[in-house]
Amino acid sequence: MPVADGESRFRRFTALQENSWLILGPRRHPPVPARAANTSSSIAIQTALGFSTLENDDYVQAVQKLSPDIVLGLADYEYSKTPGVKRLEKMGDRTLEWTQAMVKGLEDNADRVPGVALFAPILPIEAEQQSYYLETLSSELAEYIAGWTIYDSASVYAVPPKMQHLPRLALTHVRGPHDVLDQVSLGIDAFVLSFIGSATDRGLAFTFDFPLSKRPESGRRLELGINLWTTTYATDLSRLLDDCACYTCTNHHRAFVRHLLDAKEMLAWVLLQIHNYHVMDSFFAGIRRSIRQGTFGHDREIFHQSYQEEFPPSTGQGPRLRGYQVKSGPSEFRRNPQSFRQLNDARERVAEAVSPSPISKGKDSEAQGFAELFA
């Protein structure tokens, strides 16, 4: 793809706005555990064509060509698998080797867009088990590392003292806003939040806010969202959230969005996603404001006491699914029930019935009961 000098091919291809960060990582989040194991030069991943491997050299070349704003370094970490003693010894060494290759690739690439920031991974293992890797980053590669990729919130304590000031991006399991606040209190700066999309698919509209000025007067804990599949919203002409200024709440009401859900219109989930992202933007703006004012700890406690721990359950079905959204292995569940099934009863009845001949009349077929099988 032809690009101007200093322009990212990745940004040009995706048409992403200039004020948005462009982050390139080796895996989707949350990842699908692969059956194959990592090797000394590659990690196992899932692609649109099935499971495959990603060579570190290929990853470096992709970064050179695409020039994202932030690249997440390759980590020798296998999801859903507990590493053995020998495996633990290799994880730090492989990750260090891959990080060094990425640094060299960025330095040797004369055509790269200036400002590609490398976020080095911190493995979700004890700090002592990756001490050589972290010490080498701190002593030899510190000037090339712009941030950290965290796979376990407890790993923030493994960040070398010399590099504590660098931002930390979490690829951790986050169930909702409570987990976000807890991980911010540990020192996490940025998140990849898959629960936003999953809540939207389930027909949930976020209704939480941060910080709260006071606890609810009723003493009951507030819901984190509303389930728009509920029939009571079929005639509700209010906004998804009072005083919300998002496009959805400004132009539509709960009854309209519920009607779209009931009709399986994709616009329903588009409007819900717009609203939920707006609520999350306001949520993080409130976190930053609370930290600046020095009241984050108190505000976080009020939030925990005021809101339910989990989102309300969904009573509807999400949008039509395909590709990686459908079950791809034994470790994943199907998000929607199967649309088609075998008609066992009808199949047995068809086998017992006498098939009509090409010259049979309709009344003859009806007399034999053939038409009744498919009525």
Side-chain angles (χ1 to χ4, degrees):
M1 174 179 291
V3 294
D5 293 339
E7 185 180 10
S8 167
R9 289 183 173 85
F10 200 0
R11 187 179 297 277
R12 178 70 177 276
F13 179 75
T14 58
L16 193 67
Q17 298 177 351
E18 292 292 337
N19 60 353
S20 299
W21 291 107
L22 191 56
I23 303 176
L24 180 63
R27 288 189 175 106
R28 54 166 282 203
H29 183 75
V32 175
R35 296 182 179 88
N38 297 343
T39 69
S40 60
S41 61
S42 67
I43 63 171
I45 62 172
Q46 187 208 20
T47 71
L49 301 177
F51 291 103
S52 183
T53 57
L54 174 62
E55 295 286 337
N56 187 58
D57 290 343
D58 295 336
Y59 189 50
V60 172
Q61 291 178 15
V63 174
Q64 292 173 337
K65 293 292 185 183
L66 299 176
S67 297
D69 298 312
I70 298 174
V71 56
L72 309 184
L74 229 58
D76 186 22
Y77 170 48
E78 296 179 356
Y79 292 86
S80 74
K81 295 181 181 180
T82 302
V85 177
K86 293 184 178 180
R87 185 75 179 81
L88 288 171
E89 297 176 355
K90 296 179 181 178
M91 293 173 66
D93 295 339
R94 287 180 177 178
T95 305
L96 175 59
E97 181 181 347
W98 295 343
T99 303
Q100 291 172 329
M102 180 62 72
V103 169
K104 186 176 184 301
L106 291 176
E107 290 300 304
D108 293 346
N109 185 18
D111 298 329
R112 71 185 178 95
V113 177
V116 178
L118 172 59
F119 276 41
I122 292 186
L123 299 169
I125 57 179
E126 297 294 333
E128 294 78 11
Q129 295 169 333
Q130 54 182 325
S131 58
Y132 177 72
Y133 162 63
L134 296 174
E135 290 172 2
T136 304
L137 291 184
S138 179
S139 60
E140 300 179 11
L141 301 176
E143 62 178 302
Y144 304 105
I145 306 302
W148 300 104
T149 305
I150 306 295
Y151 293 92
D152 185 341
S153 57
S155 300
V156 296
Y157 301 111
V159 175
K162 180 182 175 181
M163 307 173 75
Q164 288 279 348
H165 63 285
L166 296 179
R168 304 158 190 179
L169 170 65
L171 297 181
T172 55
H173 176 60
V174 180
R175 298 170 299 170
H178 289 283
D179 289 349
V180 172
L181 294 176
D182 290 341
Q183 294 190 26
V184 168
S185 68
L186 295 176
I188 300 297
D189 300 296
F191 298 84
V192 178
L193 301 177
S194 60
F195 75 80
I196 303 176
S198 61
T200 297
D201 287 349
R202 290 156 53 199
L204 304 180
F206 294 164
T207 56
F208 55 86
D209 189 25
F210 184 88
L212 286 173
S213 57
K214 60 179 180 179
R215 296 176 179 85
E217 296 180 358
S218 63
R220 297 180 59 183
R221 301 177 77 180
L222 303 173
E223 294 285 356
L224 293 171
I226 58 175
N227 173 22
L228 286 173
W229 286 101
T230 306
T231 56
T232 54
Y233 297 123
T235 56
D236 191 339
L237 302 183
S238 59
R239 300 184 179 204
L240 301 184
L241 176 62
D242 293 339
D243 300 324
C244 180
C246 76
Y247 172 85
T248 302
C249 290
T250 303
N251 296 277
H252 305 290
H253 46 66
R254 296 178 179 182
F256 177 67
V257 178
R258 193 204 176 278
H259 162 71
L260 295 176
L261 284 173
D262 197 44
K264 302 294 190 297
E265 288 285 352
M266 282 304 300
L267 180 59
W269 291 281
V270 173
L271 293 176
L272 275 175
Q273 190 80 323
I274 291 173
H275 168 79
N276 288 342
Y277 267 108
H278 180 84
V279 172
M280 288 305 303
D281 285 344
S282 301
F283 178 75
F284 279 106
I287 290 177
R288 293 189 292 270
R289 184 169 61 253
S290 178
I291 292 174
R292 287 195 300 268
Q293 295 173 352
T295 60
F296 177 75
H298 175 69
D299 294 337
R300 169 172 161 257
E301 187 64 26
I302 291 180
F303 188 93
H304 283 330
Q305 296 175 1
S306 301
Y307 282 100
Q308 297 283 350
E309 290 289 335
E310 304 289 342
F311 287 105
S314 175
T315 55
Q317 184 171 305
R320 283 194 294 174
L321 305 178
R322 65 176 184 176
Y324 66 84
Q325 291 181 305
V326 184
K327 181 178 179 181
S328 58
S331 56
E332 277 204 329
F333 60 90
R334 289 190 181 276
R335 300 198 186 178
N336 282 346
Q338 292 182 352
S339 300
F340 304 97
R341 60 182 176 83
Q342 289 186 344
L343 301 176
N344 294 325
D345 295 340
R347 184 174 59 182
E348 294 175 358
R349 293 168 62 188
V350 169
E352 296 173 356
V354 179
S355 300
S357 66
I359 60 174
S360 299
K361 296 181 180 181
K363 291 184 178 181
D364 296 336
S365 300
E366 186 176 352
Q368 295 175 359
F370 188 82
E372 295 178 358
L373 294 175
F374 304 97

